[in-house]
Amino acid sequence: MSAVRAYIGLGSNLDDPVRQLRRALAALARLPETHLAGYSRFYRSVPLGPQDQPDYVNAVAALDTTLDAEALLDALQAIETAQGRVRTLRWGPRTLDLDMLLYGNEVLATPRLTVPHPGLAERSFVLYPLAELATDLALPDGRTLAGLLNHCDRSGLEPLTHGDEPGGVIS
Ligand code: ROI
């Protein structure tokens, strides 16, 4: 089976978020049947949802994988759990969130998994990091990343690294 390009959203707002994201990237790089092809800069973002929680650090990673989508989801959830994720409040703070944003060009709607991620099109903390990795991306429904960015307010989102310093090299 040829590899599928999947994009993963990373988010944390508890327990040293930058460290959480670095650990998560290292864990993604160790997944079986998977190559970590690149990752965006880290961004500080104001919370979407309840405001009485710390700011988030967000990033996006690109994976090339021969895991099927459910196996990839299992792997992402295992990394979340290993990093102390406790599922409590909906939209509450978390040590690590790994969201499957896209899995190739597939549309999936199972009890466990909705791909593309339902929030992808509106979330600045997903779209701007994604744009660093995939300028020409289009969603399975044909909407382009460029078009979505046109409608997406960037306020409340700040890169944590300077200038054009890349997150990680795409290979
Ligand atoms: N808000 C921001 N800024 N970043 C996130 O990753 C994030 N994740 C969430 C909710 C609680 C919706 N808000 C968020 O799950």
Side-chain angles (χ1 to χ4, degrees):
M1 180 183 152
S2 68
V4 171
R5 168 59 60 90
Y7 291 97
I8 310 301
L10 297 84
S12 169
N13 72 342
L14 289 180
D15 201 6
D16 194 347
V18 168
R19 184 174 144 267
Q20 297 295 342
L21 263 59
R22 288 201 181 114
R23 276 184 68 193
L25 287 169
L28 291 172
R30 288 193 302 266
L31 288 183
E33 296 184 45
T34 301
H35 173 64
L36 173 62
Y39 52 93
S40 72
R41 293 181 292 173
F42 291 4
Y43 290 78
R44 179 174 306 287
S45 66
V46 300
L48 171 70
Q51 296 295 298
D52 58 341
Q53 56 178 324
D55 282 352
Y56 280 79
V57 177
N58 285 110
V60 170
L63 303 179
D64 292 321
T65 186
T66 55
L67 296 175
D68 65 33
E70 294 267 341
L72 180 57
L73 180 66
D74 290 338
L76 298 179
Q77 290 184 346
I79 296 168
E80 290 176 339
T81 301
Q83 292 189 215
R85 168 79 179 266
V86 182
R87 287 177 184 273
T88 49
L89 282 183
R90 184 168 182 260
W91 288 40
R94 64 272 320 274
T95 51
L96 181 64
D97 208 5
L98 295 176
D99 288 335
M100 200 182 308
L101 304 171
L102 291 167
Y103 182 82
N105 208 35
E106 291 193 28
V107 176
L108 303 169
T110 75
R112 291 186 66 204
L113 195 55
T114 305
V115 176
H117 189 280
L120 188 159
E122 298 89 43
R123 295 183 173 184
S124 61
F125 58 84
V126 171
L127 293 176
Y128 286 92
L130 190 56
E132 293 182 19
L133 302 176
T135 36
D136 294 337
L137 195 74
L139 303 192
D141 67 9
R143 284 183 295 169
T144 64
L145 185 55
L148 296 171
L149 285 165
N150 261 328
H151 298 279
C152 187
D153 182 4
R154 202 187 159 138
S155 61
L157 184 71
E158 283 294 331
L160 287 175
T161 46
H162 303 291
D164 295 326
E165 184 186 330
V169 174
I170 283 268
S171 59

